[in-house]
Amino acid sequence: MEKTLTAEWIREQADRMVPGRVRILDQTLLPEQRVFIETDDLETVWTAIRTLQVRGAPAIGIAAAMGVAAALQRNAADSGAALAEEAGRLADRLATARPTAVNLFWALDRMKKTAADNAGMAPDALKERLAAEAQAIRDEDAACCRAIGEFGAALLQDGDTILTHCNAGGLATSELGTALAPVYVAREQGKTVRVFADETRPLLQGARLTAWELSQAGIDVTLICDNTAAQVMKEGRIRAVLVGADRIAANGDVANKIGTYGVAVLARAHGIPFYVLAPTSTFDPQASDGDAIPIEERSADEVIRGFGRLTAPENVNVYSPAFDVTPAELIAAIVCEKGVLRPDYRESIRNALG
Amino acid sequence: MEKTLTAEWIREQADRMVPGRVRILDQTLLPEQRVFIETDDLETVWTAIRTLQVRGAPAIGIAAAMGVAAALQRNAADSGAALAEEAGRLADRLATARPTAVNLFWALDRMKKTAADNAGMAPDALKERLAAEAQAIRDEDAACCRAIGEFGAALLQDGDTILTHCNAGGLATSELGTALAPVYVAREQGKTVRVFADETRPLLQGARLTAWELSQAGIDVTLICDNTAAQVMKEGRIRAVLVGADRIAANGDVANKIGTYGVAVLARAHGIPFYVLAPTSTFDPQASDGDAIPIEERSADEVIRGFGRLTAPENVNVYSPAFDVTPAELIAAIVCEKGVLRPDYRESIRNALG
């Protein structure tokens, strides 16, 4: 895999395996400060996931898998079976950090299964095996992002401008991102693709992360308030909408950052194709449709004092779901590492997973 | 006109005539501080309009008219003609403060015309005449809001929940507001009407002003991020959308706070009626349609450091139009002090103005 400047830069930023430790770029401090959290403490990883120091469905899965592996390195269990049992406990604990992104459960289940399947090993060998599994989850994600980028880039033409919501870039994954991967790959292919980034209230991942990540990579990016997306579409500036996903139901309904559903409705009204880009680890065949996906509600404080000062009456009612569900019928295609899935999604998703 | 607690409260907050001075509640400091600017200095009024210390199309018109009247009180002109000429200069200066809200020009033209028509008066008498004209603009606005509230309340039923964008309440006018007037009037009539308020980035007028104003008045209000409006509609919680206007073209196209157009598209997609509420002073028969309305662009700083800290890369491109235009075909009715206008708007608006 050829490493471009972009990919190198993102690799530098991304979570990676340090022997026996997790390394997390604290995304709550971006863009003002670039601080890495290096830890082998499971509660520190739990807090990092809960408080969005690491966020983005694939990155959460990677951090969780690495967290389990790292926390076990110092474990004094005298048998593989005892270590495997502890791995299960740690995984169950991390699974409580956030409810919506399915990659978290997917990665933790994979770590639990690896531990259980290898409980006959000596403790030190099992520790190594689990560290390797976490590393494999990370490396497979990088390959998935690359494949998504290549399938997605084929949907874009030189000179296109896309709109994205939240951050599904390198910062949300291991390397190239999901929604932004086609932009990076298109650039490698010599195409110019420009980006409008919704700022994405309340936590401003579009402003703090997407605009920052793309600027750093030298991609032409324009930041807009969320409520400006409709106007930019009306002005004819947007050729496609590209977003990531936190969970995709069996019928193609997509849970993603709050506001995604509204962007999808607006894209439909303006005749703009709306694409979802995500690895198959984001698919949840257990969820028959979007109604089966639990939606996390976040605290009022993120809305009324997100900028460091009170910006609303102190005791006002706030409704702040972290995600919404975009119905499959608004989605032109779901791009995963297996290819470009089209409706009927129940069938194309089953084939991709099969 | 019966004064309710609500109306009394709003009257207390609103701009009012102090003999020889303008009194402006500084809306940039709400909800944390309640500071009144009392001045007879025209440049202070210009800055107050420019920097949104006073905002809302009707309130801008009132503040401008009062600003001209107040600034003339100390004028030493020895003839009515000289004073009238100075009134024209002051009005022309204030007209440069903001480009989109037509009430500003409407109110200033009325002051200029009053000055010109009465240029034969002695200076002191003309000063009194102009102060009375400014007061009349304010009092007529209060009556307009009351009428809009009554016509609008007839569109609402007990138990309804409405969505609003930005602030078109008491703070944007003299008393009851425009978009919020039906909520206040419905309450006087014993109906319960609940409100979802879009926070309205970048300047958060929904969070800082609408949520505050409604909370103070004891109305049930829930604050949401702009990008959550679609989800709230999808959940079936919204019975109608009520917004104000900064300028209404002859064909019924409506310029209002950025994000209004997107809300209108979403309302249409969810089968929710979208109502615009504004006095006829907001109508601009010179603008044949929305394309003729100039849209103010605001500074990147309001988006990337609106709240005291940098929330995006320092030099990122930002696109921040202050307003957008909602096409007439998305609007179920325009409620003005003359009644409820329905399509064809070119005809119903002409009749209302006629």
Side-chain angles (χ1 to χ4, degrees), chain A residues 199 201 207-208 212 221 223 226-227 231 234-235 237 258-259 261-262 270 307 311 313 317-319 324-325, chain B residues 199 201 207-208 212 221 223 226-228 230-231 234-235 237 259 261 270 307 311 313 317-319 324-325:
Chain A
E199 65 170 2
R201 283 280 288 151
R208 294 189 302 105
W212 182 72
V221 56
L223 179 64
D226 298 323
N227 62 27
Q231 177 62 20
K234 188 178 177 220
E235 291 172 11
R237 304 205 202 190
I258 185 70
Y261 165 63
H270 292 87
F307 300 95
T311 54
N317 298 324
V318 173
Y319 178 52
D324 57 30
V325 173
Chain B
E199 65 171 3
R201 282 281 286 153
R208 295 188 301 104
W212 183 72
V221 56
L223 179 64
D226 298 322
N227 63 26
T228 308
Q231 177 63 20
K234 188 176 177 223
E235 291 172 12
R237 303 204 203 191
Y261 166 62
H270 292 87
F307 303 90
T311 54
N317 298 325
V318 173
Y319 178 52
D324 57 28
V325 173

Side-chain angles (χ1 to χ4, degrees), chain A residues 294-328:
Chain A
I295 299 296
E296 174 183 7
E297 257 202 69
R298 305 218 27 115
S299 90
D301 264 7
E302 292 178 348
V303 176
I304 69 173
R305 17 175 142 247
F307 300 95
R309 72 178 176 96
L310 187 67
T311 54
E314 184 137 24
N315 297 314
V316 71
N317 298 324
V318 173
Y319 178 52
S320 184
F323 304 95
D324 57 30
V325 173
T326 300

Side-chain angles (χ1 to χ4, degrees), chain B:
Chain B
M1 189 191 310
E2 193 185 295
K3 286 284 167 283
T4 62
L5 183 67
T6 306
E8 283 302 331
W9 173 81
I10 290 168
R11 176 180 274 277
E12 169 59 29
Q13 307 311 313
D15 312 331
R16 345 178 248 196
M17 198 65 190
V18 178
R21 304 180 80 74
V22 192
R23 188 161 184 266
I24 291 169
L25 173 59
D26 184 346
Q27 301 194 25
T28 64
L29 301 178
L30 290 175
E32 285 191 294
Q33 297 174 58
R34 190 182 303 190
V35 174
F36 285 89
I37 301 162
E38 281 201 21
T39 187
D40 63 359
D41 176 55
L42 196 92
E43 286 308 305
T44 302
V45 176
W46 188 92
T47 301
I49 294 171
R50 178 71 141 209
T51 66
L52 281 59
Q53 289 174 313
V54 57
R55 31 65 56 203
I60 288 173
I62 295 166
M66 290 190 168
V68 170
L72 286 173
Q73 297 303 311
R74 285 187 303 172
N75 189 284
D78 57 5
S79 73
L83 196 73
E85 207 173 295
E86 179 64 7
R89 265 195 299 274
L90 298 183
D92 290 346
R93 169 64 182 152
L94 281 187
T96 66
R98 293 191 73 191
T100 303
V102 77
N103 311 56
L104 177 62
F105 314 122
W106 170 87
L108 289 169
D109 284 346
R110 188 162 150 181
M111 294 299 285
K112 280 166 77 167
K113 185 169 186 312
T114 301
D117 289 353
N118 297 283
M121 282 184 172
D124 280 356
L126 182 52
K127 288 177 188 175
E128 253 181 65
R129 179 72 190 76
L130 289 168
E133 191 69 18
Q135 184 66 43
I137 288 174
R138 185 229 164 278
D139 292 345
E140 289 166 25
D141 180 69
C144 277
C145 291
R146 163 68 49 182
I148 289 168
E150 283 170 0
F151 287 120
L155 300 170
L156 302 177
Q157 301 189 333
D158 190 30
D160 278 353
T161 298
I162 65 114
L163 177 87
T164 191
H165 188 73
C166 195
N167 174 268
L171 290 167
T173 65
S174 53
E175 289 190 19
L176 287 181
T178 53
L180 298 187
V183 177
Y184 294 126
V185 170
R187 212 258 292 272
E188 290 177 15
Q189 295 170 346
K191 298 181 204 162
T192 299
V193 175
R194 295 184 182 80
V195 178
F196 274 84
D198 284 353
E199 65 171 3
T200 318
R201 282 281 286 153
L203 294 180
L204 299 173
Q205 291 92 338
R208 295 188 301 104
L209 307 180
T210 297
W212 183 72
E213 171 181 331
L214 291 170
S215 299
Q216 293 278 328
I219 306 275
D220 183 336
V221 56
T222 300
L223 179 64
I224 57 173
C225 293
D226 298 322
N227 63 26
T228 308
Q231 177 63 20
V232 174
M233 290 181 187
K234 188 176 177 223
E235 291 172 12
R237 303 204 203 191
I238 305 299
R239 228 281 301 157
V241 175
L242 273 60
V243 299
D246 288 84
R247 195 185 297 211
I248 302 177
N251 73 335
D253 289 352
V254 168
N256 191 46
K257 180 60 52 198
I258 184 69
T260 302
Y261 166 62
V263 172
V265 173
L266 295 172
R268 167 64 54 90
H270 292 87
I272 297 167
F274 180 91
Y275 298 119
V276 173
L277 302 98
T280 53
S281 55
T282 308
F283 290 52
D284 180 8
Q286 308 306 315
S288 175
D289 61 29
D291 292 342
I293 302 177
I295 298 295
E296 174 183 6
E297 257 203 69
R298 308 226 16 124
S299 91
D301 264 5
E302 290 179 349
V303 176
I304 70 173
R305 43 174 122 239
F307 303 90
R309 73 178 176 97
L310 187 68
T311 54
E314 185 136 23
N315 297 314
V316 71
N317 298 325
V318 173
Y319 178 52
S320 184
F323 303 94
D324 57 28
V325 173
T326 300
E329 64 260 29
L330 294 176
I331 301 168
I334 298 174
V335 182
C336 68
E337 75 274 18
K338 304 283 182 69
V340 178
L341 312 188
R342 302 278 183 179
D344 169 334
Y345 290 117
R346 213 174 269 283
E347 193 184 325
S348 53
I349 288 173
R350 195 170 42 230
N351 291 341
L353 291 177

Side-chain angles (χ1 to χ4, degrees), chain A:
Chain A
M1 189 191 311
E2 193 186 294
K3 286 287 165 285
T4 63
L5 183 67
T6 305
E8 284 302 331
W9 173 80
I10 290 168
R11 177 179 273 277
E12 168 59 27
Q13 305 314 312
D15 310 333
R16 2 175 234 198
M17 197 65 190
V18 179
R21 305 180 79 75
V22 192
R23 188 160 184 268
I24 291 169
L25 174 58
D26 184 347
Q27 301 193 24
T28 63
L29 301 178
L30 290 174
E32 285 191 293
Q33 297 175 58
R34 191 182 303 190
V35 174
F36 284 89
I37 301 162
E38 281 201 23
T39 186
D40 64 357
D41 175 53
L42 196 90
E43 288 306 306
T44 302
V45 177
W46 186 93
T47 301
I49 294 172
R50 178 71 142 208
T51 65
L52 282 56
Q53 290 174 313
V54 56
R55 34 65 54 203
I60 289 173
I62 295 166
M66 290 191 167
V68 169
L72 287 172
Q73 297 303 311
R74 286 186 303 169
N75 189 286
D78 57 4
S79 74
L83 197 73
E85 207 171 298
E86 180 63 7
R89 264 194 299 274
L90 298 183
D92 291 346
R93 169 64 183 153
L94 282 187
T96 66
R98 293 192 72 192
T100 303
V102 77
N103 311 57
L104 176 64
F105 314 122
W106 170 87
L108 289 168
D109 283 347
R110 188 162 150 182
M111 293 300 285
K112 280 167 78 167
K113 185 171 185 313
T114 301
D117 288 354
N118 297 284
M121 283 184 170
D124 281 356
L126 182 51
K127 288 176 187 175
E128 255 181 62
R129 179 71 191 77
L130 289 168
E133 192 69 18
Q135 185 67 43
I137 288 173
R138 185 227 164 279
D139 292 345
E140 289 165 25
D141 179 70
C144 278
C145 291
R146 162 68 50 182
I148 290 168
E150 284 170 358
F151 288 119
L155 301 171
L156 301 178
Q157 302 189 333
D158 190 29
D160 278 353
T161 299
I162 65 114
L163 176 85
T164 191
H165 187 74
C166 196
N167 174 268
L171 289 167
T173 65
S174 52
E175 288 188 21
L176 288 181
T178 53
L180 298 186
V183 177
Y184 293 127
V185 170
R187 212 259 293 271
E188 290 176 16
Q189 296 171 348
K191 298 182 206 162
T192 300
V193 175
R194 296 184 182 82
V195 179
F196 274 84
D198 284 353
E199 65 170 2
T200 318
R201 283 280 288 151
L203 294 181
L204 298 173
Q205 291 94 338
R208 294 189 302 105
L209 308 179
T210 297
W212 182 72
E213 172 181 331
L214 291 170
S215 299
Q216 293 278 327
I219 306 275
D220 183 336
V221 56
T222 300
L223 179 64
I224 57 173
C225 293
D226 298 323
N227 62 27
T228 309
Q231 177 62 20
V232 174
M233 291 182 186
K234 188 178 177 220
E235 291 172 11
R237 304 205 202 190
I238 305 299
R239 228 282 299 156
V241 175
L242 273 60
V243 299
D246 288 84
R247 194 186 299 212
I248 301 176
N251 72 335
D253 289 352
V254 167
N256 192 46
K257 179 61 52 198
I258 185 70
T260 303
Y261 165 63
V263 173
V265 172
L266 294 172
R268 168 63 54 90
H270 292 87
I272 298 167
F274 181 90
Y275 298 119
V276 173
L277 302 99
T280 53
S281 55
T282 308
F283 290 55
D284 180 6
Q286 308 306 314
S288 174
D289 60 32
D291 291 342
I293 302 177
I295 299 296
E296 174 183 7
E297 257 202 69
R298 305 218 27 115
S299 90
D301 264 7
E302 292 178 348
V303 176
I304 69 173
R305 17 175 142 247
F307 300 95
R309 72 178 176 96
L310 187 67
T311 54
E314 184 137 24
N315 297 314
V316 71
N317 298 324
V318 173
Y319 178 52
S320 184
F323 304 95
D324 57 30
V325 173
T326 300
E329 64 261 27
L330 294 176
I331 301 168
I334 298 174
V335 182
C336 69
E337 73 276 16
K338 304 285 181 68
V340 177
L341 313 187
R342 300 278 184 180
D344 171 333
Y345 290 117
R346 213 174 269 284
E347 193 182 325
S348 54
I349 288 172
R350 195 170 43 229
N351 291 341
L353 292 177

